[in-house]
Amino acid sequence: MNRTKPDLRILVRGANDVGSAVAHRLFMAGYSVVIHEIPQPTTTRRRMSFSDAVFEGRVALDGIEAQLIKRLYLLRGALVSDCCIPIFIKDFYQLLNTLHPTILVDARMRKHLQPEVQRGLAELTIGLGPNFVAGETTDIAIETSRGDSLGQIVEHGATSPLQGEPIEIEGFARDRYVYAPAAGTFHTSLQIGDYVIQGLEVARVDSIPLLAPITGILRGLTHDGVPVTPKTKVIEVDPRIHNAQISGIAERPARIAEGVLTAIQNWEA
């Protein structure tokens, strides 16, 4: 795929399912895209994102590959070769100063944290999710709450506040998830896609066992060996035994990604 806008570089913060969907959509639209991630992400929906490239070196998502770049001098070659989306996990500001992105998208989805002011880090800055204020923390923001406003562009003021329960699947909502009960290292021998029954030990945080909250298919599972903090989401079970969605870009991230693409196209126009 030839970049139609090779000089318009976009830096996406976060390789979770939303950040990955954004990077994927922009790459497919012809933009040069780079992802920044932390060295040990706690992402659970790993088969619905590019996050495992951090651990495995490279990974594919819906036909597009992301590749871990360990040295910044390799970044230019990766962008020129146009074969994949580079992921960099070291110092963010070092990457920022090397890449000089035209557009910065904060897709880290840190729901309970107040985002830092990022206006001025690129010509256009975009924040995804609650707590962003268009015109203050970033130039514009994108709604990520489910409903009619999902994916809408916010040009002035705050995005919607963090809302209540996750989407219900076959009668289960927040009870599909397990959160780290304490700080420690997450350990598991299971894999996304495994069938689990309610009460089965799925993982441990240090010596604390974490049990499957319901019977179903593991949709989300933090990578083995990753340090976690209390209340970090580490396990998700999909109760749909025969048609669980465990891989690929889901509808919500796809709609958010379309909102980001539209915002960028509007800005270019």
Side-chain angles (χ1 to χ4, degrees):
M1 181 184 300
N2 292 323
R3 300 296 93 198
T4 58
K5 304 172 185 291
D7 296 325
L8 201 160
R9 295 177 175 177
I10 302 175
L11 176 55
V12 177
R13 304 186 75 173
N16 53 59
D17 59 334
V18 172
S20 296
V22 169
H24 187 286
R25 184 68 185 92
L26 297 177
F27 186 85
M28 291 293 291
Y31 296 92
S32 292
V33 183
V34 178
I35 298 174
H36 180 266
E37 184 54 275
I38 60 175
Q40 292 184 299
T42 61
T43 305
T44 54
R45 295 179 181 175
R46 290 162 28 228
R47 289 179 59 180
M48 304 174 80
S49 75
F50 290 123
S51 65
D52 268 6
V54 172
F55 306 101
E56 299 175 8
R58 60 177 64 214
V59 70
L61 174 67
D62 282 1
I64 299 298
E65 187 174 88
Q67 181 176 340
L68 180 65
I69 301 297
K70 296 182 179 180
R71 299 288 184 270
L72 276 175
Y73 69 82
L74 299 172
L75 182 60
R76 178 177 175 80
L79 291 173
V80 170
S81 68
D82 197 29
C83 64
C84 62
I85 299 174
I87 295 184
F88 187 73
I89 60 173
K90 296 184 180 179
D91 184 74
F92 168 72
Y93 289 97
Q94 186 183 8
L95 172 60
L96 192 72
N97 293 332
T98 299
L99 183 65
H100 299 294
T102 308
I103 298 169
L104 173 67
V105 182
D106 189 343
R108 291 175 291 176
M109 302 297 291
R110 303 185 301 169
K111 300 176 183 178
H112 301 285
L113 297 177
Q114 291 297 323
E116 66 272 28
V117 174
Q118 296 174 80
R119 294 184 72 197
L121 296 183
E123 293 181 38
L124 174 66
T125 56
I126 303 173
L128 310 187
N131 303 322
F132 281 100
V133 180
E136 294 183 15
T137 50
T138 50
D139 295 302
I140 60 176
I142 304 294
E143 288 286 4
T144 61
S145 296
R146 294 185 183 278
D148 294 338
S149 64
L150 177 63
Q152 286 185 359
I153 301 165
V154 179
E155 296 182 336
H156 305 284
T159 53
S160 299
L162 182 63
Q163 299 186 6
E165 293 299 297
I167 188 172
E168 187 175 288
I169 299 177
E170 295 190 354
F172 298 98
R174 193 168 298 279
D175 46 355
R176 296 186 287 113
Y177 300 96
V178 176
Y179 300 83
T185 302
F186 185 81
H187 295 288
T188 183
S189 60
L190 298 186
Q191 303 292 329
I192 291 174
D194 285 348
Y195 170 78
V196 295
I197 59 172
Q198 185 177 21
L200 175 76
E201 182 176 314
V202 174
R204 287 177 176 256
V205 173
D206 290 342
S207 61
I208 304 173
L210 304 181
L211 311 181
I214 62 172
T215 296
I217 304 298
L218 283 176
R219 184 187 196 192
L221 189 67
T222 294
H223 196 281
D224 179 60
V226 170
V228 296
T229 56
K231 299 182 180 180
T232 301
K233 186 187 299 181
V234 290
I235 297 169
E236 179 186 358
V237 179
D238 190 327
R240 300 170 293 187
I241 305 297
H242 301 295
N243 60 343
Q245 182 178 15
I246 61 172
S247 62
I249 297 173
E251 178 186 2
R252 176 172 171 261
R255 286 180 59 183
I256 296 169
E258 286 295 334
V260 173
L261 176 61
T262 300
I264 291 172
Q265 292 173 334
N266 291 347
W267 177 77
E268 288 183 282

